[in-house]
Amino acid sequence: LVERLAARGLLSLLVEGGAHTHAAFMDADLCDRLLLYVAPLAIGGPRAPAWLAGPGASRLALAPRFRLDVPPRRLGDDLLLAYTRPSLI
């Protein structure tokens, strides 16, 4: 699907989904920006929702790196954090 969209000239895509959808884009190296919303809720537990699924990086050195590209933005009691891959800043 991503290749078909790119062939039509669409080079930017907002992916809003569950942890498995996000993991698929990360695993395919198709994620260059993260918009993370942080809410002051302490849910916890093994069934708590997560934004990223999958096995994860086997070592920290292998994890994709992102940099905060604008100051955090407050939305009520929540925070919006915008991160970009360093190669794109």
Side-chain angles (χ1 to χ4, degrees), residues 48-84:
W51 74 273
L52 188 61
S58 59
R59 297 182 319 192
L60 287 178
L62 300 176
R65 298 267 178 196
F66 293 82
R67 286 199 182 136
L68 194 63
D69 62 357
V70 294
R73 182 174 167 200
R74 189 172 177 161
L75 303 166
D77 287 336
D78 299 348
L79 283 179
L80 168 57
L81 304 170
Y83 290 92
T84 302

Side-chain angles (χ1 to χ4, degrees), residues 2-84:
V2 173
E3 289 174 358
R4 287 177 141 181
L5 292 172
R8 292 181 178 201
L10 185 64
L11 302 177
S12 181
L13 181 68
L14 171 65
V15 177
E16 185 176 3
H20 294 284
T21 300
H22 297 149
F25 276 81
M26 290 292 257
D27 290 346
D29 198 28
L30 293 172
C31 184
D32 56 13
R33 189 149 195 253
L34 299 175
L35 297 175
L36 302 175
Y37 292 86
V38 180
L41 299 171
I43 299 170
R47 294 178 48 201
W51 74 273
L52 188 61
S58 59
R59 297 182 319 192
L60 287 178
L62 300 176
R65 298 267 178 196
F66 293 82
R67 286 199 182 136
L68 194 63
D69 62 357
V70 294
R73 182 174 167 200
R74 189 172 177 161
L75 303 166
D77 287 336
D78 299 348
L79 283 179
L80 168 57
L81 304 170
Y83 290 92
T84 302

